[in-house]
Amino acid sequence: MSLNSKQSIRCPHCSEQCEVTVWNSITADDSADLKQDLLSGKVNMFNCPSCSYAALMPSPLLYRDNARRLMISFYPCNDPIVCAKLFDDVQNSSKASGELEKLWGYNLRFVTDYNALLEKILIFDNGMNDKTIEVIKLMILMQDADKSDRRTCRFGKVQNGAIEFMVHDSVENQIYTSSVPEDTYNTLHKQLLESGMKPYSFDWEQVDGAYATRLLNGFNNNF
């Protein structure tokens, strides 16, 4: 079930008092329109009707897709120490409540970035696993290793047998595209599974570039 609450918020730009609908959880199975609004960047976005100021609301959101056995816990945060504590809290509360046992076979993800939330939804919507996608993203960035620290890579779309990624260079302020054949994904995914990667979660996980580095290093060490 998708749940929301009404909040009265003062615009930080013009001080206008506004009533905002804040979504606390979204269940994709029974809220197709709401899911589309989320993917369009409309959910939990503050838009002042007076001065047009817009910003993401600092509100946690739980996304659930039972058909794809996916659950994403999103906490907007950019402080590494706070993020680590939030992640520990999610893991501990899930175990203490017994919820974790009911989510056997699910992919459980914890993210702190709004774009990462949307990206993971799109990855699983396309029948792929974000663990393998993160490894491919790392490989793309390492093609130009000297610039990898200033670049971010995001899953884009699947079209004509290829997976398109968007690479943003923060110094050049440019966005590049990089395409990888679906066969490459399929081959790598199979190899990662054979090397011990689990296709589902036993606990909440943070699947990002750091995770991909650990996974790839472990994978390489086996060969």
Side-chain angles (χ1 to χ4, degrees):
M1 179 184 296
S2 299
L3 302 173
N4 66 53
S5 60
K6 299 289 185 180
Q7 295 186 19
S8 182
I9 297 175
R10 187 178 300 279
C11 176
H13 188 260
C14 72
S15 299
E16 178 79 11
Q17 198 73 23
C18 309
E19 186 175 81
V20 180
T21 298
V22 177
W23 288 94
N24 310 109
S25 67
I26 294 177
T27 301
D29 308 75
D30 56 20
S31 305
D33 291 343
L34 183 57
K35 174 184 175 181
Q36 190 54 51
D37 284 344
L38 175 63
L39 291 173
S40 299
K42 299 177 182 178
V43 170
N44 291 354
M45 292 296 294
F46 174 80
N47 292 281
C48 180
S50 178
C51 70
S52 300
Y53 173 83
L56 176 67
M57 299 285 293
S59 304
L61 173 67
L62 183 66
Y63 176 86
R64 181 166 185 160
D65 188 330
N66 294 310
R68 292 179 174 81
R69 302 183 76 78
L70 171 68
M71 187 176 288
I72 307 173
S73 181
F74 168 58
Y75 280 80
C77 178
N78 54 19
D79 184 319
I81 297 176
V82 176
C83 290
K85 185 181 183 306
L86 289 170
F87 181 51
D88 287 342
D89 290 345
V90 168
Q91 287 186 315
N92 294 333
S93 63
S94 185
K95 291 175 183 176
S97 66
E99 175 194 44
L100 195 60
E101 297 178 4
K102 301 175 183 178
L103 296 173
W104 179 262
Y106 272 71
N107 276 295
L108 307 175
R109 300 291 184 263
F110 176 84
V111 299
T112 58
D113 178 78
Y114 193 74
N115 288 326
L117 166 66
L118 305 186
E119 179 186 42
K120 290 192 181 299
I121 294 172
L122 290 174
I123 290 170
F124 283 94
D125 276 359
N126 279 278
M128 297 178 175
N129 190 291
D130 61 334
K131 294 180 179 179
T132 304
I133 290 294
E134 287 294 338
V135 172
I136 293 176
K137 286 165 58 177
L138 182 62
M139 291 176 170
I140 290 173
L141 291 175
M142 292 311 295
Q143 289 177 355
D144 203 341
D146 291 342
K147 298 180 180 180
S148 62
D149 288 343
R150 72 195 210 195
R151 290 182 170 181
T152 56
C153 184
R154 294 286 186 192
F155 174 91
K157 60 184 178 181
V158 180
Q159 189 174 40
N160 300 324
I163 309 169
E164 184 179 279
F165 294 85
M166 311 300 291
V167 180
H168 176 251
D169 190 305
S170 61
V171 174
E172 299 174 2
N173 196 27
Q174 293 289 330
I175 294 178
Y176 305 93
T177 60
S178 179
S179 294
V180 176
E182 280 190 84
D183 287 344
T184 299
Y185 167 88
N186 294 331
T187 299
L188 180 59
H189 186 63
K190 180 180 178 181
Q191 291 175 337
L192 289 171
L193 290 174
E194 290 174 348
S195 75
M197 183 186 79
K198 303 303 180 184
Y200 50 84
S201 303
F202 292 94
D203 201 347
W204 288 92
E205 298 179 284
Q206 289 181 287
V207 178
D208 51 17
Y211 178 95
T213 299
R214 296 193 301 270
L215 185 61
L216 190 58
N217 286 339
F219 169 66
N220 286 338
N221 289 337
N222 290 332
F223 292 89

